[in-house]
Amino acid sequence: MKRRMKINYILTLISVFCIGASIPVLTGSSQVTEQHSAKSEVPYCVTPPTVPTQVTFDGKTIDLRRYDRRERMDREMMAFTYMHSTTMLLIKRANRYFPIIEPILKANGIPDDFKYLMVIESNLNNIARSPAGAAGLWQFMPATGREFGLEVNDNVDERYHIEKATVAACKYFKQAYAKYGDWMAVCAAYNAGQGRISSQLDKQLASHAMDLWLVEETSRYMFRILAAKEIFNNPQRYGFLLKREHLYPPIPYKKMTVATSIDNLSNYAKSQGITYAQLRDANPWLRDISLKNKTGKTYTLYIPTQEGMYYDPKKTEAYNKQWVID
């Protein structure tokens, strides 16, 4: 008898529990739905960035109101805005590389905005190498690098030389501009090749490269450049809050000219008070443990100073004040 009463008691508790648990489901389903429509359960919000109605490239206005241009720009703006770590790294690196690149572009009569082409080509990684074999900040293929004056072999590869590769890129841009008379077409040609852009302009009876039907990579390419410029000019607007100390400062070097072979670069680096790794980091165009130099060519080696290698982030200066909040 006692056992039966105990079982009944347990069954009663279970029934009460089940009924109580079901009440919110039976009576509050509409309320839960309404709450979920107004609030999110995730601890952060995601919203698309505003697409500008127009942007400029080399001072010329590009209208982005038409649906196809707007949506292509929208895609790239979202990519840069929510590619958080990569975009922050781009701004950090730009503080080191833009001071080198901008004067070279200006000296060669190339619009300053072409530095954003370099941004999307290599993510400002000077040792970047694509699966296809393109290398350096400007991602030259070996044959194209040689065509525009760079030494490219197993011992020396000047596609990784910041200044020389930038001068070579300027030569390409000027050659392409002489053909098209439009800088955005030059950008498209840098990605797809001049032959393809020229033929498509003729076949499609188009007057502007941005109006061409192209493979997705090239179609996106032009808008990625514009989106990069927009993000770099307004990083806080898109959620990137960097301080001066977060940026990478230019590294001071002393320059050493050599016109002979160097049999062992490790020994050479040690004689200069640095490591082989630091020598290669400062001169990534060196591709071996030695510099053969059979022709007696004059090379300039960058040797980082001891003070420069131990920089104080708190003393870092922002090359562009718009990049930082302090």
Side-chain angles (χ1 to χ4, degrees), residues 228-270:
K229 178 181 178 180
E230 180 69 17
I231 297 292
F232 268 76
N233 287 340
N234 303 279
Q236 290 90 40
R237 180 181 182 184
Y238 300 102
F240 297 98
L241 308 180
L242 288 86
K243 296 182 178 180
R244 288 183 301 107
E245 63 188 73
H246 296 148
L247 304 176
Y248 297 164
I251 298 177
Y253 301 103
K254 62 179 181 179
K255 297 181 179 180
M256 303 290 291
T257 57
V258 295
T260 60
S261 299
I262 299 177
D263 294 331
N264 190 307
L265 287 172
S266 294
N267 289 337
Y268 179 83
K270 188 174 182 180

